[in-house]
Amino acid sequence: MDNFTLDPTVYDGRPADCSGRDAVETACYDFLDGLGVPYQRVDHSETPSIEACGEVEQLLGIEICKNLFLCNRQKTQFTLLIMPGAKPFRTKDLSAQLGCSRLSFADAEHMQQYLCVTPGSVSVLGLLNDTEKHVRLVIDRDVLGPDWFGCHPCRNTSSLRIATADLTGKILPALRHEPTYVSL
């Protein structure tokens, strides 16, 4: 990818110095550390899409998930869909399983309002900022198969590797967003 830079060092845990990092990113590290969830981290230039994450995936030995922020036509119901990065997304299939009208991609304004993230930085950890539960969490069951789960700490300039068991056993309960599971 043009202009993509990657620090090839895999770090254990948070940066030693968080100055210069956004508060929303630092809050993710505080949250994971508070839960006692170990994680590995790599730092890199901005990754604007799932396709740009190939080198990060190889370095961490994971598949970065697609994190899609969706809404209904009226923009009154919002959904965070987490699915394997290589799996194609078909809104018709998701809508059928959820029993709702067809969903489309939500705008950046609602993404910032509810998750405090920008496009390309959507992550399950963004639900930390959705304290009023405006966003429904939907997870493709295939995400739960691998031993490791990959996501951004609400900024797409770092990527994390977290045990899937910690995602389901510690992180999701602490986020207080009961997931709906689908098979896409």
Side-chain angles (χ1 to χ4, degrees), residues 27-39 125 153 160 162 171:
C28 290
Y29 301 135
D30 293 343
F31 172 72
L32 294 171
D33 294 346
L35 292 175
V37 171
Y39 53 96
L125 296 174
L160 306 178
I162 300 168
I171 296 170

Side-chain angles (χ1 to χ4, degrees), residues 14 22-35 37 39 80 82 111-117 121-135 137 151-155 160 162 167 170-177:
R14 71 188 306 128
D22 288 342
V24 69
E25 179 182 355
T26 303
C28 290
Y29 301 135
D30 293 343
F31 172 72
L32 294 171
D33 294 346
L35 292 175
V37 171
Y39 53 96
L80 171 58
I82 302 172
M111 189 180 297
Q112 182 65 44
Q113 179 182 355
Y114 295 131
L115 302 178
C116 298
V117 299
S121 297
V122 177
S123 162
V124 67
L125 296 174
L127 293 174
L128 277 168
N129 304 305
D130 183 33
T131 57
E132 295 181 14
K133 298 186 178 149
H134 293 282
V135 180
L137 175 59
C151 67
H152 294 304
C154 293
R155 288 295 174 253
L160 306 178
I162 300 168
L167 172 71
K170 294 180 180 178
I171 296 170
L172 293 180
L175 289 172
R176 299 174 197 234
H177 280 71

Side-chain angles (χ1 to χ4, degrees), residues 50-72:
I50 192 71
E51 293 77 21
C53 294
E55 291 178 68
V56 173
E57 290 177 326
Q58 288 180 350
L59 195 56
L60 287 174
I62 58 169
E63 180 181 6
I64 299 285
C65 294
K66 279 183 190 169
N67 295 272
L68 305 178
F69 189 57
L70 308 167
C71 66
N72 63 355

